[in-house]
Each structure stands twice: as C-alpha cells, then as structure tokens.
Amino acid sequence: MYFILQTFLFVSCTYLGYLLSKKDKSIYFWMMVIIYTLIEGLRFGRGIDYNVYVYVYDDVVRYGEFSSTESFIFNALCLILAKLGMPYQSLIIICSFILAFCGFTFLRRYRECLVFSVPLFIMLSLSAENLFRWYAGFSFILMALLSYIDGKTRWFLIFLLIACGIHPALLLIVPIFWYCLHRGEKPLLNPWIAFAIYIVFSVIWDNSIMLRFTKVLPFLLGNSEHYSGYSDNAEMWLTSSNRDEYDIAFITNLRLIFSFIFYLFAGRILIKTKPQLTPYYNMLVLGIISYPVVHIELANRYNQLLVFFECIIGAYCFLYVLKRKIKTHIAVVILSVLLICGHVVRIARKTTMGSKWETMYIWDADGLRTVPIEYWKK
C-alpha cells in the first residue's frame, strides 16, 4: 500500500501541477494540498518525531500543560487539539497540511515551472516524515520569503515569528536566508569555485571535526529540558556515532553528482535572464557546497532547508533548457530519469527491504500508539 500511495501522490500532484501551470485554477491547487495532506498525514510511526511527540502529546492531554515554553505556537496547537479531545494523529495531519499549503503556495508563485517544481517538492519533502515539526516551522519561512519579496515587512516578521514559535532552532538559519535575500541579484560564488569546494569537502571531510563543537552545543541550546538530550549527548549527535555507517546507493550518487553540476552551471545561466531568482540560487549553492559535511543529525536539518530550493532553481533550469530546444535538453531528460528512478528506488527499497514499521498507515497500526523503540531510534 505504501508504494501505491506514494506513487499516486507523485503522479497525481505532478499532473495537477502541470494543469495549474497552464491555467491558474484554485481547484487544482486544493486537490494537490488535499492529496498530500491525506497521504502524508495518515502515516503511522514513520520517523523519530512521530514516535517522540506521541508521548509529549499524551502528557498535554493528561496534565493540560506543556513541559517547555520556548515553542509557544506549537505548544498552543497541541493544547488546543487536546482540549478539543482530538487524537494525536490530528497533529500529524495538521502539520502535513501546513507543509502542503505553504509549500504549494510558494511554488504557485512560480507557476510556469510547476510541472517540474511539484515532483521535486514531493521528493524533497519526504524528509518531513522524520521531522514534521521542523518542516511545519520551515513552511512559514517560505511564506516569509514571499512576503519579503513583496515588500510586506510586517508579514515577513509575523511569519518568521510563527516559524520560530513552532521550532526555535529555525532562528539559526534565518540570517542565512536574510543575507541571500539582502544580497539581491549578486551571485554568491562562481559555479566552478562552488563545485571545487563541494569536491574538496567530499574528499577531506571527517565527522570527527565536529567534536570541536561539543562544548558549544549546550551553550547554543540553553537549559531547555526539551533539548537536553542533544546537549547531554553532544558528541553522539555531532558525529552521528549513534548510527550505523551506510553506503549511499549508486543511483543516488549519480543523481547527486549530475543534479548538483546541472544546478550550479545551468542555474548561473538562468539567473542572467531571471535575476529575481538569484537569492534562491545562492541558497541552493550554499546547500550544495555544505552537503558533504552534514551527514550528521543536527547540521543535516539545516542543509535540507537550503537544498530545498532545488524545487525552484532545478525546475526553472529544466524549463529553460527545454524551451530553447537545444542539444543540452538530452541532459535534462537523463537527469529527470535519474531523479524519478531515485525516487522510485527510494520508496521501493522501503517497501521491499525496510521493516514494516517504515511503511505503515494508521489503518495498519492495529491499536498501537507508536512503533517499537528499537526501530525508530536507529
């Protein structure tokens, strides 16, 4: 069922994105939002957040209060749902809706490339299954970016406040987004330099370098009980020593290399004709050059938000090349096949090689509240 529903999500939203790119009808937009919300919102037990926050939510229901105060908007949402007698799954559905609504609203602003940006969004947002609160907060950062571009400073600040009220750690990446926006139409790096940095980091980086930050992490996280697990085990979270080593699939490596090269060089050509996309290009460049150094729990969360702008830059690069009907459109076809194959392989491996706990929906739960701890703590 997991493979069928994920494939349906990918195909149906891509088709609806194509229709929306041709004619701006709200019915297409809302169909995408509803399909995404239901398929992702009805999942069961997938990812650490799902299995951690079920106990947090139970405490809210039991005691009528939240144990921490810094995530005041997320806390308020939990308290409201608890007071209304709503089950924990309603929180997952609402966060999936927030991501779908804000994400597709962001992509809709660049309607002409929706046929490419929507499937890229579906692929990249699979990470939200593991970090649903993180991505719910990031959803409002996307709305803040649109407000900044529109010159709506008040709404820009309001959306940032909401984002940080859902997940305070998002505050750390706000200066990077602001810098890219403030920089305007100035490219951050020459694509050759950016690619060289990526290669150098890929060759020399060792996660043990992060040990230097073990004393800094507790200071950054403060005395919050919610983040005490990170600060108390700083070495583990900064070096990924809590996880088994794994090899990235060959097709994934191919996809990464081809896509990063394509986005760096085609994107640089693209922003000469569409300079308003330069901030997104700079965000993606930062995501690409930092990608080799963030195969660790905490840093990877921030890198995901930078690489997210593949949705826009990648989509416009595809569109730019194909519209000009030049020979390089073959590269787009090859890359598109790699992207789709990578996504299919990803969900197929979960279906055939993963445990049943990685592919369940609420109708498979059979009365369980969460999956066994030995599976979601891997």
Side-chain angles (χ1 to χ4, degrees):
M1 181 60 73
Y2 173 81
F3 183 82
I4 294 172
L5 289 178
Q6 288 294 327
T7 302
F8 175 74
L9 172 64
F10 183 84
V11 173
S12 61
C13 285
T14 299
Y15 179 64
L16 288 166
Y18 167 75
L19 294 178
L20 188 59
S21 69
K22 297 300 181 183
K23 185 169 286 189
D24 193 9
K25 287 188 174 182
S26 293
I27 183 65
Y28 300 143
F29 170 82
W30 282 107
M31 286 178 69
M32 286 194 298
V33 171
I34 291 170
I35 291 171
Y36 185 96
T37 300
L38 290 178
I39 292 179
E40 287 299 305
L42 294 177
R43 67 185 184 274
F44 172 78
R46 291 207 290 277
I48 293 176
D49 273 14
Y50 186 105
N51 296 286
V52 168
Y53 283 101
V54 66
Y55 299 112
V56 175
Y57 191 78
D58 284 348
D59 286 343
V60 175
V61 172
R62 187 177 298 113
Y63 303 114
E65 60 183 11
F66 215 86
S67 59
S68 61
T69 57
E70 66 272 9
S71 306
F72 59 97
I73 292 180
F74 182 76
N75 297 356
L77 175 60
C78 291
L79 286 169
I80 290 170
L81 293 175
K83 293 294 184 182
L84 293 175
M86 301 295 289
Y88 172 68
Q89 195 68 37
S90 63
L91 178 63
I92 305 298
I93 293 172
I94 288 173
C95 288
S96 297
F97 171 80
I98 290 172
L99 177 58
F101 178 82
C102 295
F104 289 137
T105 297
F106 180 79
L107 298 182
R108 191 180 184 182
R109 176 65 64 90
Y110 308 97
R111 194 164 59 87
E112 60 186 317
C113 67
L114 279 170
V115 67
F116 297 116
S117 63
V118 169
L120 287 172
F121 172 81
I122 299 297
M123 294 177 193
L124 293 169
S125 65
L126 271 179
S127 300
E129 290 187 346
N130 187 46
L131 302 166
F132 75 84
R133 184 164 75 102
W134 181 253
Y135 274 86
F138 175 61
S139 301
F140 287 99
I141 288 183
L142 293 177
M143 301 300 289
L145 293 178
L146 293 181
S147 299
Y148 185 94
I149 292 170
D150 291 339
K152 299 177 180 178
T153 306
R154 181 183 301 176
W155 280 106
F156 171 72
L157 295 174
I158 289 173
F159 284 131
L160 286 184
L161 181 64
I162 295 173
C164 295
I166 292 175
H167 206 305
L170 286 167
L171 183 62
L172 295 178
I173 203 169
V174 169
I176 296 176
F177 287 141
W178 180 86
Y179 173 74
C180 291
L181 289 170
H182 184 70
R183 190 179 176 86
E185 299 175 359
K186 298 177 182 178
L188 191 63
L189 288 172
N190 178 284
W192 286 106
I193 295 176
F195 186 64
I197 295 173
Y198 169 77
I199 294 298
V200 170
F201 278 156
S202 297
V203 173
I204 70 171
W205 182 260
D206 189 316
N207 283 349
S208 62
I209 295 173
M210 297 300 292
L211 288 173
R212 300 174 184 177
F213 298 95
T214 53
K215 294 182 179 180
V216 178
L217 184 63
F219 173 76
L220 292 175
L221 296 178
N223 298 318
S224 168
E225 291 183 10
H226 182 74
Y227 298 108
S228 61
Y230 292 115
S231 57
D232 293 344
N233 300 282
E235 179 177 339
M236 179 182 73
W237 290 108
L238 287 171
T239 64
S240 282
S241 60
N242 63 317
R243 304 203 175 196
D244 296 330
E245 293 295 326
Y246 63 94
D247 294 321
I248 298 176
F250 175 73
I251 195 167
T252 302
N253 274 317
L254 275 181
R255 179 185 68 80
L256 289 173
I257 293 172
F258 276 102
S259 60
F260 287 169
I261 292 174
F262 180 73
Y263 298 149
L264 286 173
F265 290 92
R268 185 58 180 268
I269 298 172
L270 168 71
I271 60 176
K272 291 180 180 178
T273 58
K274 288 187 175 294
Q276 68 272 23
L277 297 178
T278 304
Y280 302 142
Y281 175 75
N282 287 336
M283 293 171 194
L284 180 58
V285 168
L286 289 173
I288 289 173
I289 64 177
S290 62
Y291 185 85
V293 309
V294 294
H295 292 299
I296 52 179
E297 174 68 19
L298 293 178
N300 182 257
R301 297 188 180 198
Y302 294 100
N303 181 261
Q304 288 176 21
L305 306 189
L306 293 169
V307 173
F308 171 85
F309 294 95
E310 176 184 342
C311 288
I312 296 298
I313 298 301
Y316 267 110
C317 286
F318 292 166
L319 193 68
Y320 177 88
V321 172
L322 291 177
K323 275 190 172 181
R324 277 148 185 77
K325 298 180 180 178
I326 54 181
K327 290 184 179 179
T328 50
H329 77 277
I330 296 173
V332 173
V333 174
I334 294 173
L335 183 55
S336 298
V337 171
L338 284 172
L339 286 170
I340 294 172
C341 287
H343 182 68
V344 171
V345 167
R346 186 178 180 183
I347 61 176
R349 286 184 68 183
K350 263 194 172 185
T351 304
T352 59
M353 299 175 63
S355 72
K356 68 175 183 177
W357 309 108
E358 298 178 63
T359 59
M360 294 174 67
Y361 289 89
I362 57 172
W363 50 82
D364 303 313
D366 195 26
L368 294 174
R369 296 297 315 283
T370 181
V371 303
I373 191 170
E374 60 267 23
Y375 287 96
W376 61 263
K377 273 210 167 182
K378 284 185 178 181

